[in-house]
Amino acid sequence: MIHQPAPPEVIYIIRHGEKPEEPTSRRAGPAHSGVDFHGNQNEHSLLPRGWQRSGALAALFDPSQGPLRAGLRVPRMLVSPSYGDSSKAAQHRTHQTIMGISDRLGIEIATDFAKGHEPQLAAALAKSGPGAVLICWDHAHIPALASALPLVHGTVIPKTWPDDRFDVIWTFTLADSGAYSFGQVPQLLLSGDTDTIIAAG
């Protein structure tokens, strides 16, 4: 991650795309495996629908025609968790979900921090430079990452990210105070995506 003495103006956090259901004792094996970029089965990879979302997200954040959707900016930095080394990261859903954007923009995906190191990532973001940052993270850890950012006083972050929601963007926009205001943008990219946000309950 490149460090510059300025925070990003906006931070977007998304969850990875659709994944296989958790296996049960009755059903296991290939039915619960995603596929990698080459179509090989991999338990850590996206389902085909997740790959569809990856492509749709690339067009959402860098449209080939027409303007960006209101409230969104083209990211200049992409972030996903570390899984030990860069070759392993590419086998995981978080990396795969923003691979399309990475290829489209010619920006490498930074993988400097592992899941569970959200405070360290938030601290590094504060010095990562201006512009927009897009982070794809494990949904169980997204509330911790969001809460580690300097937030406008009184901001309420949902305590959990629902298991069945893959279609929301959390936005953090830098205010004059130096803290971030929180918002949510429904992706509305694939059939079945909803226009509701994640409740704070």
Side-chain angles (χ1 to χ4, degrees):
M1 185 176 293
I2 299 171
H3 293 282
Q4 302 177 35
E9 286 98 1
V10 61
I11 298 169
Y12 304 115
I13 304 178
I14 61 173
R15 179 194 184 177
H16 58 68
E18 283 79 350
K19 65 174 185 175
E21 294 179 10
E22 294 298 327
T24 65
S25 57
R26 288 180 294 118
R27 293 179 59 197
H32 294 282
S33 183
V35 291
D36 66 16
F37 187 70
H38 302 288
N40 301 312
Q41 291 184 344
N42 184 320
E43 63 179 327
H44 302 296
S45 290
L46 296 167
L47 289 174
R49 181 178 171 88
W51 284 106
Q52 288 180 316
R53 187 173 301 283
S54 174
L57 282 165
L60 177 67
F61 279 100
D62 183 35
S64 56
Q65 295 183 348
L68 275 160
R69 190 185 298 177
L72 297 181
R73 293 174 56 177
V74 178
R76 61 152 194 86
M77 179 184 288
L78 304 172
V79 180
S80 74
S82 167
Y83 294 94
D85 63 59
S86 57
S87 63
K88 288 184 178 177
Q91 300 173 22
H92 285 262
R93 292 181 279 270
T94 45
H95 191 279
Q96 293 169 349
T97 300
I98 53 176
M99 222 166 73
I101 303 171
S102 171
D103 291 345
R104 194 173 180 119
L105 297 177
I107 299 173
E108 286 192 20
I109 301 170
T111 57
D112 299 330
F113 298 93
K115 293 182 291 184
H117 292 182
E118 288 75 27
Q120 293 90 330
L121 172 55
L125 287 171
K127 298 176 287 186
S128 65
V133 176
L134 174 61
I135 302 170
C136 187
W137 212 249
D138 181 270
H139 75 293
H141 295 265
I142 289 177
L145 175 55
S147 298
L149 298 171
L151 301 172
V152 170
H153 180 71
T155 299
V156 178
I157 300 294
K159 291 183 175 63
T160 59
W161 186 296
D163 289 342
D164 62 348
R165 293 300 302 272
F166 300 89
D167 57 354
V168 181
I169 303 164
W170 282 9
T171 67
F172 299 86
T173 305
L174 191 63
D176 292 339
S177 64
Y180 287 93
S181 59
F182 171 57
Q184 301 189 55
V185 176
Q187 294 178 14
L188 300 174
L189 296 175
L190 303 180
S191 63
D193 284 6
T194 74
D195 59 1
T196 59
I197 61 173
I198 296 173

